[in-house]
Amino acid sequence: MNNNLLTVNIAGLKLQNPTALASGILGYTGDSFKFVEESGAGAIVTKSVGVSPRVGYSNPTVVQAKSGLINAVGLPNPGINEYTEELKYAKSVLKVPLIVSVFGYTSEEYALVAVKAAEAGADAVELNVSCPHVKYTGSEIGQNPKLLTDVVCAVKSAVQKPVIVKLSPNVTDIVELGKAAVKAGADALTVINTVRALAIDVETQEPILSNVRGGLSGPAIKPIAVRCVYDIFEALPKTPIFGCGGVSDWRDALEFFLAGASAVQVGTAIAFEEPAVFEAINKGVTAYLKRKGYGSVKEIVGLSHQA
Amino acid sequence: MNNNLLTVNIAGLKLQNPTALASGILGYTGDSFKFVEESGAGAIVTKSVGVSPRVGYSNPTVVQAKSGLINAVGLPNPGINEYTEELKYAKSVLKVPLIVSVFGYTSEEYALVAVKAAEAGADAVELNVSCPHVKYTGSEIGQNPKLLTDVVCAVKSAVQKPVIVKLSPNVTDIVELGKAAVKAGADALTVINTVRALAIDVETQEPILSNVRGGLSGPAIKPIAVRCVYDIFEALPKTPIFGCGGVSDWRDALEFFLAGASAVQVGTAIAFEEPAVFEAINKGVTAYLKRKGYGSVKEIVGLSHQA
Amino acid sequence: MEVSKKLSAYLTKLNTIRTTAIKSVKSESPTVKTFTLEDDICSKANPGQFLMLRIPGIDEIPLSILNAGEGQVQFSVKAVGDATRHLHNLTTGDLLGLRGPFGTSFTETRGRVLLIGGGTGTAPLLFLAKRLAAKVDRLSFVIGAKTKNELLYLTELDAVCTDESAIATTEDGSYGLQCLATEPLEKLVDKQKFNMIYTCGPEKMVKSIFNFAEKRKIAMEASLERLIRCGIGLCGSCMIGKYRVCRDGPVFTMARLSEVKDELGMSKLGFDGSRIEV
Amino acid sequence: MEVSKKLSAYLTKLNTIRTTAIKSVKSESPTVKTFTLEDDICSKANPGQFLMLRIPGIDEIPLSILNAGEGQVQFSVKAVGDATRHLHNLTTGDLLGLRGPFGTSFTETRGRVLLIGGGTGTAPLLFLAKRLAAKVDRLSFVIGAKTKNELLYLTELDAVCTDESAIATTEDGSYGLQCLATEPLEKLVDKQKFNMIYTCGPEKMVKSIFNFAEKRKIAMEASLERLIRCGIGLCGSCMIGKYRVCRDGPVFTMARLSEVKDELGMSKLGFDGSRIEV
Ligand SMILES: Cc1cc2nc3c(=O)[nH]c(=O)nc-3n(C[C@H](O)[C@H](O)[C@H](O)COP(=O)(O)OP(=O)(O)OC[C@H]3O[C@@H](n4cnc5c(N)ncnc54)[C@H](O)[C@@H]3O)c2cc1C
Ligand SMILES: Cc1cc2nc3c(=O)[nH]c(=O)nc-3n(C[C@H](O)[C@H](O)[C@H](O)COP(=O)(O)OP(=O)(O)OC[C@H]3O[C@@H](n4cnc5c(N)ncnc54)[C@H](O)[C@@H]3O)c2cc1C
Ligand SMILES: Cc1cc2nc3c(=O)[nH]c(=O)nc-3n(C[C@H](O)[C@H](O)[C@H](O)COP(=O)(O)O)c2cc1C
Ligand SMILES: Cc1cc2nc3c(=O)[nH]c(=O)nc-3n(C[C@H](O)[C@H](O)[C@H](O)COP(=O)(O)O)c2cc1C
Ligand code: FES
Ligand code: FES
């Protein structure tokens, strides 16, 4: 959807509307990105990609919980070299910004992948320092201000494109990590990745995910995600935020905007509501803005902090 | 419910069945404890009580989320002196163990309340070092290994009764805190308290809870709670655990037992399923144990770790 | 299992706050106003049930439902403190949050029924009276207040009551009988056998009606008040005996009133969970 | 909105793993076994839909539904790798986890229909044939395998097919015609006009049938395979063109097959998300 009410600008990225595809969802091929764009998304974040190919964990990799999903897919990805072709193709067919999600085991790896992604046409990179289920990367970096700073600095000095840092909720104080990322140069933050979780099959008496632990997503985590966005906005009111976690309808999106997010990313809801969820959110937000007399979604960002 | 299959022994407390009333739920009067006991609970945990009376926050103190509740009641309690009478009455009418939940702003306060609770008849004390929404107590202590150690040590050296420490999930590494508590002398752990969360009313554009932030409970957090129990049991296999967070039916309870809990505490489900939930859980667990040929619920504690 | 699952979904919907604009406000007396809101869920409430009203930024309080139907719900509010005074300053178009309806409702009976309402306690009884009017043999309604201009719903009362079945009492005698609302009770009951007494109002009044009904062996139901926080039977603020006023009540049957008679009119929990006088 | 909310509840129930004991196992061929499980939800599946089968501690794999009804579901499994070989070692009473049914199903048509199955790809077609048998004018069923003892469901096939409408082909000629399953196609279609071709099997076979059907302008539906991880349209492992095999498929109509014909029989995503040959 494209109307003046909905356009936003995040760290230099121009979005026709404030909804983006979250990383790891329909995240491999240019054709699927194009489809998601046609379904109404204002930006695309790819599956996280690293230096070398990874096949991920064996199934089960996704388990249904009462109000969400628990996943431990294990970052399957073809490696940035192999993936370059797909990115170039994606860039050639997409009208909306293409954000490449990047992971690595060292700050050098993050920087290397980010550089190649930028060369292949990425409009921005999102650093996955918050995957809760792969060793030596993801949240092991994002839970540690020192490691996080190194990674963000390395990437910032290697690429010219905007650098978005995706934060983990699995920390004592998310504000501390947000501040570290911004101080190291992050242009925007994505808040949040999944919450560490586990499900057991009571009949077979064993954890269901092949990786045992995974990350909880979907409606269950929305109140946690909104709280994290609220906390980050309060501490870092000038840093643009992608709100992420359980967004399923326009009301959810508005909660994130009012908490301080400039845009939202949508993942799990795509399984429950189909990609049409983007269009539905944008319609609902537009109607709300008109009803309340706003000229732009930008006007409501962070508004709940005035109360 | 009382049958041989269900009896458990936690840190010297004899429970006729492995379900307990969680703190803060129907937690004030001896009559309500008695009613919950008659509904099938195997132990009672009181509302958290401190040195002085507190009126708590003004309403709204509880907000419905999609799969749970967010609460910030603000620890209203009459103070331990005033509460002593009610505790004595409660002790005189209850057959099941009475566990008094204790909070304070200093380790001395925790110890003082614990001593008075023990004098009034508490069979054990549970230290609330995990309330996510009251300043200078609760999780501000439970997120800090040093403060936590001080509090547990102070209480342990002041009372002879078992000391249970209730952990917060709002930490980077719950195992670190669990270990600190046990090293300081905790006889058992309750895992977990609520997850910090926030809800915004999109029409009035402000946080709904009068305290802004609160704690998420109910089905939404069950996979997080199971993961925390699993983590703690893995690191501290000898420490008895009360699993807590989203238990709503016998399958949920079994997940906690298999993850490593010796018993579960039930809170939010009482609103969704009524106090009869205790009886229903016990019936379901009994049927499961019989069907699988176990002689006691103790046999399945932690069994999912063998996989 | 199936039932409880349904309840759970029911409760989620019921308990989710709906924020909506005030449709209209009406003054009932110098201290009482009646608000009309649009809300599908509450419009299906039964007499005796209450809702939780959020006054944004201020508080959230329990209020009896005065009327429900056709997508709308009404309640009357007496200005007694912070929240209720704020509410009185609001007007058509202002936003309020609603959840509910919660709690038990009055049992509909046939035959001869007597309703005794004190102050805003009259609200749920008026709702009940409208439901019962066409179905019962006789409906007698006694309302009481300190003085004439605090008597509520006089017009509506005339509409549901026949001939002399509506009796107003004032303490200062400025309207109707000069007495407490409980006084006409004895005379009415001496004259004819009532199948049921319904009451709601100050707890001392409820207590004295209970004592009377117990002595005279007349069935009775009363709506009680306690401190309501969660409204869904969880937090324990509203205990009376082993019952939660928000979920096992607010309407209590005779049998349950007997069980809690030691606390009735005597003690309740205060904001800090300590026992205080009613 | 209402629809999507319903879908969401539907999906939660569908997608929740049910662990259940194997009711029975039957050998169909040296490499294929058929399993019967009790599952209310899957017993309501339609032909073409698949389920996700968890082999505890090993893997979770997609399998077409061979039969569904009366609280039971059946599927056939060819031992080709780790998970499927483990499955072959399991027996009555062993536990398996199920979720689903997922995906699209075959459109039921009338008139004359032709079904062409290769290997275990015959399973969903047999399910479909049973549904169609009594309703269509003519049902022709061609199945193919390398050799005689790999031909599946011969008895069941005879039950649903009349006279000579069932044709078996083997590559080595050990049974039926010595040819690929696609060969009888031209002859059959020359003899009479078919309203629909349904197919499932090796993708090269599907591709050649697609080319034929396109040329001869016959409607067609095919069930495709891709790497299935989540099964609910989320993870993107199963993309073909802009479609998700797990949700927009596995059954593709002619129109959709045309849209993805560049990838059909050519490329798919591997376990690491890179493009590999089919
Ligand atoms: C089931 C029920 C139905 C009620 N129906 C009506 C009604 O129809 N009309 C009406 O005017 N009033 C009704 N009340 C009383 C109404 O809720 C209180 O008058 C109101 O909450 C006072 O709020 P306040 O901030 O203005 O007063 P405050 O200054 O906060 O308190 C004044 C007094 O009101 C009572 N009160 C305050 N908060 C609460 C609370 N959360 N729950 C219960 N009591 C409280 C206390 O006794 C307090 O001392 C009902 C109460 C209950 C429990
Ligand atoms: C919609 C659909 C329906 C299917 N129906 C049937 C059926 O009815 N009967 C039957 O025997 N087989 C069926 N299959 C194929 C079956 O899923 C694979 O044979 C099985 O997953 C192999 O697992 P493995 O561990 O034994 O083999 P592996 O050694 O893991 O792999 C062997 C090959 O099987 C395929 N495969 C492995 N895992 C998957 C997966 N998660 N999703 C898709 N393909 C995979 C790959 O091509 C792989 O190269 C179906 C596949 C799909 C997509
Ligand atoms: C199946 C699946 C795969 C995911 N893969 C990634 C990933 O590769 N990188 C990443 O940063 N986040 C990944 N995520 C997390 C999502 O991007 C998102 O942060 C999270 O799911 C919360 O949002 P949601 O509730 O809208 O799904 C994944 C989530 C799911 C459900
Ligand atoms: C209304 C409410 C009040 C609570 N009060 C307390 C409290 O005083 N002390 C405490 O330790 N936990 C308190 N809790 C947390 C619960 O004891 C429990 O840890 C949490 O709700 C998770 O369990 P559940 O999902 O079964 O409710 C409270 C929870 C709720 C919902
Ligand atoms: S108000 Fe919370 S239990 Fe009744
Ligand atoms: S298998 Fe995940 S999208 Fe199809």
Side-chain angles (χ1 to χ4, degrees), chain B residues 149-225:
Chain B
T149 301
D150 289 351
V151 165
V152 178
C153 285
V155 175
K156 271 304 282 183
S157 59
V159 295
Q160 307 302 315
K161 301 283 175 186
V163 174
I164 305 159
V165 174
K166 185 167 181 182
L167 297 180
S168 168
N170 304 296
V171 294
T172 306
D173 180 9
I174 196 168
V175 167
E176 180 193 8
L177 283 312
K179 281 184 177 165
V182 170
K183 203 168 158 213
D187 301 292
L189 299 172
T190 297
V191 182
I192 55 177
N193 208 317
T194 53
V195 184
R196 254 163 85 92
L198 186 153
I200 292 170
D201 181 339
V202 302
E203 294 302 331
T204 60
Q205 308 186 322
E206 38 161 36
I208 299 175
L209 290 172
S210 72
N211 186 56
V212 180
R213 295 170 182 88
L216 182 63
S217 63
I221 67 168
K222 192 199 68 180
I224 303 170

Side-chain angles (χ1 to χ4, degrees), chain A residues 177-224:
Chain A
L177 283 312
K179 281 183 176 166
V182 169
K183 204 169 158 213
D187 300 292
L189 299 172
T190 297
V191 181
I192 55 175
N193 209 316
T194 53
V195 183
R196 253 162 86 91
L198 186 154
I200 292 170
D201 181 339
V202 302
E203 294 302 332
T204 60
Q205 309 186 321
E206 40 162 33
I208 299 174
L209 290 171
S210 72
N211 185 57
V212 181
R213 295 171 183 87
L216 182 64
S217 64
I221 67 167
K222 192 197 69 179
I224 304 171

Side-chain angles (χ1 to χ4, degrees), chain A residues 70-137:
Chain A
I70 314 172
N71 90 81
V73 188
L75 296 179
N77 80 96
I80 188 65
N81 291 338
E82 168 79 23
Y83 198 50
T84 298
E85 279 314 299
E86 196 73 41
L87 283 178
K88 285 184 180 157
Y89 169 67
K91 185 64 199 159
S92 76
V93 295
L94 286 177
K95 289 194 210 94
V96 303
L98 175 65
I99 302 166
V100 176
S101 173
V102 164
F103 79 94
Y105 298 95
T106 62
S107 51
E108 290 74 24
E109 286 196 6
Y110 274 96
L112 179 70
V113 178
V115 166
K116 293 197 174 171
E119 284 168 7
D123 296 300
V125 292
E126 179 180 272
L127 307 184
N128 177 353
V129 289
S130 43
C131 171
H133 51 69
V134 177
K135 284 231 160 110
Y136 312 121
T137 181

Side-chain angles (χ1 to χ4, degrees), chain A residues 59, chain D residues 50 59-64 76-78 80-85 120 123 224-228 250 268 271:
Chain A
N59 258 8
Chain D
F50 69 97
D59 204 344
E60 187 193 41
I61 60 170
L63 293 166
S64 292
S76 291
V77 184
K78 178 164 182 157
V80 299
D82 196 32
T84 47
R85 269 196 293 268
T120 55
L224 302 183
E225 294 191 6
R226 281 293 177 276
L227 170 61
I228 308 282
K268 61 175 186 178
F271 281 99

Side-chain angles (χ1 to χ4, degrees), chain B residues 24-32 35 38 47 53-67 69 73 76-79 82-83 86 89 201 203-204 206-210 217 248-251 267-275, chain C residues 1 3-5 7-9 11-20 52 54-62 95-97 99 228-244 247-248 263 269-276:
Chain B
I25 283 78
L26 301 181
Y28 296 104
T29 72
D31 287 341
S32 81
F35 179 65
E38 281 164 2
K47 177 76 192 166
R54 261 182 75 95
V55 294
Y57 303 130
S58 66
N59 259 7
T61 48
V62 179
V63 185
Q64 180 73 48
K66 271 185 196 160
S67 197
L69 297 171
V73 188
N77 80 95
E82 168 79 24
Y83 199 50
E86 195 74 40
Y89 170 67
D201 181 339
E203 294 302 331
T204 60
E206 38 161 36
I208 299 175
L209 290 172
S210 72
S217 63
S248 309
D249 59 27
W250 60 271
R251 282 172 202 278
T268 302
I270 289 173
F272 297 149
E273 319 268 346
E274 289 283 24
Chain C
M1 188 72 166
V3 172
S4 63
K5 286 294 161 219
L7 180 67
S8 153
L11 200 62
T12 302
K13 205 176 148 197
L14 235 63
N15 196 36
T16 301
I17 293 187
R18 289 88 65 182
T19 300
T20 173
M52 292 300 290
R54 183 163 97 92
I55 305 109
I58 307 294
D59 204 342
E60 187 191 42
I61 59 170
L95 295 177
L96 288 173
R99 55 190 177 100
I228 308 283
R229 275 195 175 103
C230 72
I232 54 172
L234 194 67
C235 71
S237 305
C238 65
M239 300 304 297
I240 180 165
K242 68 177 190 181
Y243 296 112
R244 299 159 297 176
R247 189 139 169 176
D248 306 313
E263 283 183 47
L269 296 181
F271 281 99
D272 65 0
S274 64
R275 277 188 194 280
I276 57 176

Side-chain angles (χ1 to χ4, degrees), chain A residues 265-289:
Chain A
Q265 295 184 1
V266 182
T268 302
I270 289 172
F272 297 148
E273 319 268 345
E274 289 283 24
V277 66
F278 291 104
E279 187 75 14
I281 291 172
N282 286 325
K283 273 203 182 131
V285 171
T286 303
Y288 174 92
L289 295 171

Side-chain angles (χ1 to χ4, degrees), chain A residues 252-263:
Chain A
D252 294 337
L254 286 170
E255 261 194 88
F256 279 92
F257 302 148
L258 292 165
S262 295

